Amino acid sequence: MPLDIVSSSKAHGGTQGVYRHHSRSTDTVMTFAVFTPPQAETGRVPVLWYLSGLTCSHQNAMDKAEYRKAAAEHGVMIVLPDTSPRGAGVPDEAGNWQFGSGAGFYLDATREPYAANYRMYSYVTDELPGYLATHFPADMRRQSIMGHSMGGHGALTIVLKNPDRYRSASALAPIVQPTTADWSKGAFDKYLGVGSKAQREYDATLLIQDGRRYPEFYVDQGTADEFLDTGLRPTLLRDACEKAGIRLTLNMREGYDHSYNFISTFMGDHVAYHAGHLHR
Amino acid sequence: MPLDIVSSSKAHGGTQGVYRHHSRSTDTVMTFAVFTPPQAETGRVPVLWYLSGLTCSHQNAMDKAEYRKAAAEHGVMIVLPDTSPRGAGVPDEAGNWQFGSGAGFYLDATREPYAANYRMYSYVTDELPGYLATHFPADMRRQSIMGHSMGGHGALTIVLKNPDRYRSASALAPIVQPTTADWSKGAFDKYLGVGSKAQREYDATLLIQDGRRYPEFYVDQGTADEFLDTGLRPTLLRDACEKAGIRLTLNMREGYDHSYNFISTFMGDHVAYHAGHLHR
């Protein structure tokens, strides 16, 4: 499984790199970013996955999420996957930012013509961890996961399905019930089929209803987020966690919107939260 | 002098805004970014100018320079001007990243057809301060200035010509002798005339040779900077400062390149340095 280095640059004492490889999960070339903290010079370091939101690639958070300072201080590797397969031959919908390129929703599609490429769940939980273990000074026994918006949905659903693999999980403005939210329902119907049982496997609140558990979620949500009431609806997660006995820290952040200004403001808190679990 | 708000978003407790206005200096519409720290809610705050490098607009540093956390902690407003006039009617050279759009060099051009628009020195030192005083909670008695690469050149030359106006000056990988550097000499010849006396007015090392003084410069420079030996040449600044009795802190940063990974790594130090002078 060869890996190409697209770029590599010293940052905050560590290395910010961008890497490219052919993915067997998506059957496309995939690009991802890794920040390797300075502590990796003397041993393997724990891994924090950051899953990005709709329309983003690895690049947006790499440029704007301001995670490197905290990651260098805490000795945590940050991994930023892309949000979908891309490229010639991948079925896409030009002009629809809620489906196709940039909108993989961290699921494995079951419906044609999407099932061959849109397999971001397998990519993030199975294939890419293999690359980290092989090519990077990553201690894969210590992983945590977080994400923003669609990536928050990804982080929550992935830990609910793999609770023993991740030491902690957090989210910034997550989509908590994508099967009914206005900006994700259409994609779920196309990737997984209208009314399919598979949809429940990729919906955080429904996974909790169906008995999946995780000890604790740490969530920040801006009160001025333009998608709060229609796409995000954190109270649905709060209700599901209360019923299930899952600890939820839900910080409503006064005046913050959905942008990277919100993400970068609270990123340091999230890295510190995960570092507390990863270095325990 | 009306001002349009292009965007405004809460960040690190303050406000990251983008603004647009018609500039009398450049006779074009100009866009700039301002981060207003939370301390401005209770009074005017000091101002740190950040001048960007070649090819950049206000946007690059706004996205990637990671100044907001430190600025919010220290109660400093950060102002990011564009690097040149832009738009229809502005003479430009398509494809030349070292001249024209994105390459204003913080000078007032004297040669046609550039003299009518390329007046970034006046814009940054005279016109834009007026907007800050009028439209923002800025304490214009407390200003400092910094910049990267071409913007480092801007910061150094502007304080040498206006030493009483700025409380401190710093630079990241500055162009210290643009009249002879490979990537700036051509622009200086076109904006100001080949061999013109005006060129000395916009060259930090020559201004120092000609008797201009400033108490102290704080400079960071990456050792892996791809432009170190041909475009930047910090030893020329060190020699000029030594002869002139100007205190120079020149930190050679092992392994850092010319990118925003370098800038963002040391931005917090620079904001803290200026805050020390601005809050004195």
Side-chain angles (χ1 to χ4, degrees):
Chain A
M1 41 199 253
L3 190 67
D4 293 333
I5 300 174
V6 177
S7 66
S8 180
S9 177
K10 189 169 179 179
H12 290 282
T15 302
Q16 179 62 63
V18 178
Y19 308 91
R20 188 179 290 150
H21 66 117
H22 186 273
S23 165
R24 56 177 159 75
S25 305
T26 65
D27 196 22
T28 63
V29 171
M30 292 292 287
T31 305
F32 63 97
V34 174
F35 176 70
T36 303
Q39 293 83 349
E41 289 175 16
T42 54
R44 288 185 176 262
V45 292
V47 175
L48 174 57
W49 295 81
Y50 178 92
L51 305 184
S52 293
L54 284 166
T55 77
C56 293
S57 72
H58 68 284
Q59 177 112 29
N60 306 67
M62 185 175 78
D63 286 350
K64 300 194 278 192
E66 302 187 9
Y67 54 80
R68 279 172 290 267
K69 185 169 194 288
E73 285 169 2
H74 290 286
V76 173
M77 178 179 289
I78 310 285
V79 181
L80 295 82
D82 202 348
T83 60
S84 77
R86 298 174 195 269
V90 175
D92 194 2
E93 283 187 13
N96 183 355
W97 63 281
Q98 300 171 350
F99 184 78
S101 289
F105 280 97
Y106 306 100
L107 54 76
D108 284 356
T110 56
R111 296 300 159 116
E112 299 304 338
Y114 311 111
N117 304 113
Y118 286 87
R119 299 184 66 242
M120 290 301 294
Y121 178 79
S122 290
Y123 178 70
V124 166
T125 62
D126 180 31
E127 183 175 8
L128 196 47
Y131 279 87
L132 293 180
T134 306
H135 294 281
F136 294 85
D139 179 0
M140 301 307 287
R141 296 165 305 178
R142 291 184 289 158
Q143 299 182 62
S144 292
I145 191 164
M146 68 175 292
H148 171 243
S149 195
M150 178 180 74
H153 141 74
L156 297 175
T157 54
I158 284 170
V159 294
L160 284 165
K161 295 165 79 164
N162 304 275
D164 296 334
R165 188 185 301 177
Y166 302 93
R167 297 205 178 180
S168 48
S170 76
L172 294 154
I175 301 175
V176 305
Q177 195 175 92
T179 57
T180 62
D182 60 354
W183 58 1
S184 47
K185 190 178 184 317
F188 270 58
D189 286 346
K190 282 187 204 166
Y191 288 137
L192 301 168
V194 177
S196 71
K197 190 153 179 291
Q199 290 205 14
R200 299 186 73 86
E201 287 289 306
Y202 298 106
D203 183 306
T205 59
L206 300 183
L207 283 166
I208 294 170
Q209 282 184 26
D210 291 348
R212 307 278 191 146
R213 292 294 180 268
Y214 196 71
E216 182 178 64
F217 296 127
Y218 182 84
V219 175
D220 280 302
Q221 172 63 59
T223 64
D225 189 318
E226 54 271 43
F227 304 107
L228 180 57
D229 295 329
T230 55
L232 302 169
R233 305 172 297 169
T235 53
L236 295 177
L237 180 65
R238 191 191 60 204
D239 295 347
C241 287
E242 276 179 9
K243 277 187 197 158
I246 295 173
R247 283 193 304 277
L248 172 67
T249 300
L250 174 58
N251 304 308
M252 297 301 293
R253 302 298 191 177
E254 186 64 30
Y256 285 91
D257 61 25
H258 199 63
S259 75
Y260 281 91
N261 284 315
F262 163 66
I263 296 171
S264 61
T265 298
F266 298 102
M267 180 60 77
D269 294 348
H270 283 250
V271 172
Y273 171 79
H274 291 292
H277 289 80
L278 291 166
H279 291 303
R280 190 172 284 170
Chain B
M1 42 199 257
L3 191 67
D4 293 334
I5 300 173
V6 177
S7 67
S8 179
S9 177
K10 189 169 180 179
H12 290 284
T15 303
Q16 180 61 62
V18 177
Y19 308 91
R20 188 179 290 151
H21 66 118
H22 186 274
S23 165
R24 57 178 159 76
S25 304
T26 65
D27 196 22
T28 63
V29 171
M30 293 292 288
T31 305
F32 63 96
V34 174
F35 176 69
T36 303
Q39 293 84 349
E41 288 175 17
T42 54
R44 289 186 175 261
V45 292
V47 175
L48 173 57
W49 295 82
Y50 178 92
L51 305 183
S52 293
L54 284 165
T55 76
C56 293
S57 72
H58 68 282
Q59 175 112 29
N60 305 68
M62 184 175 79
D63 286 351
K64 299 194 277 191
E66 301 187 10
Y67 55 81
R68 278 173 289 268
K69 186 170 193 289
E73 284 170 3
H74 290 286
V76 173
M77 178 180 289
I78 309 285
V79 181
L80 295 83
D82 202 348
T83 60
S84 77
R86 299 172 193 269
V90 175
D92 194 3
E93 284 186 10
N96 183 354
W97 63 282
Q98 300 171 351
F99 185 78
S101 287
F105 279 98
Y106 305 100
L107 53 76
D108 284 354
T110 56
R111 297 298 159 118
E112 299 303 337
Y114 310 112
N117 305 112
Y118 286 88
R119 300 184 67 240
M120 290 301 293
Y121 178 80
S122 290
Y123 178 69
V124 166
T125 63
D126 180 31
E127 183 176 6
L128 196 46
Y131 280 88
L132 293 180
T134 305
H135 294 280
F136 295 86
D139 178 0
M140 301 307 287
R141 297 164 304 178
R142 292 185 287 159
Q143 298 182 62
S144 291
I145 191 165
M146 68 175 292
H148 171 243
S149 195
M150 177 180 74
H153 141 74
L156 297 175
T157 54
I158 285 171
V159 294
L160 284 165
K161 296 166 78 163
N162 304 276
D164 296 333
R165 188 185 301 178
Y166 303 93
R167 297 205 178 180
S168 49
S170 76
L172 293 154
I175 302 175
V176 304
Q177 194 173 92
T179 58
T180 62
D182 61 354
W183 58 0
S184 47
K185 190 179 183 317
F188 270 57
D189 287 347
K190 283 187 204 164
Y191 287 136
L192 301 168
V194 176
S196 71
K197 190 154 178 289
Q199 290 205 14
R200 299 186 73 87
E201 287 289 307
Y202 298 107
D203 183 307
T205 60
L206 300 183
L207 283 167
I208 294 170
Q209 280 183 28
D210 290 348
R212 308 279 191 145
R213 293 294 180 268
Y214 196 72
E216 182 177 65
F217 297 126
Y218 182 84
V219 176
D220 280 302
Q221 172 63 57
T223 64
D225 190 317
E226 53 272 42
F227 305 106
L228 180 57
D229 295 329
T230 55
L232 302 170
R233 305 173 299 170
T235 53
L236 296 177
L237 180 66
R238 191 190 60 204
D239 295 347
C241 287
E242 274 179 12
K243 277 186 195 157
I246 294 173
R247 284 194 302 278
L248 172 67
T249 300
L250 174 59
N251 303 310
M252 297 302 293
R253 301 299 191 177
E254 186 65 30
Y256 284 91
D257 61 24
H258 199 65
S259 74
Y260 280 90
N261 284 315
F262 163 66
I263 295 171
S264 62
T265 297
F266 298 103
M267 180 59 76
D269 294 348
H270 283 249
V271 172
Y273 171 79
H274 291 291
H277 289 80
L278 291 166
H279 290 303
R280 190 172 284 170

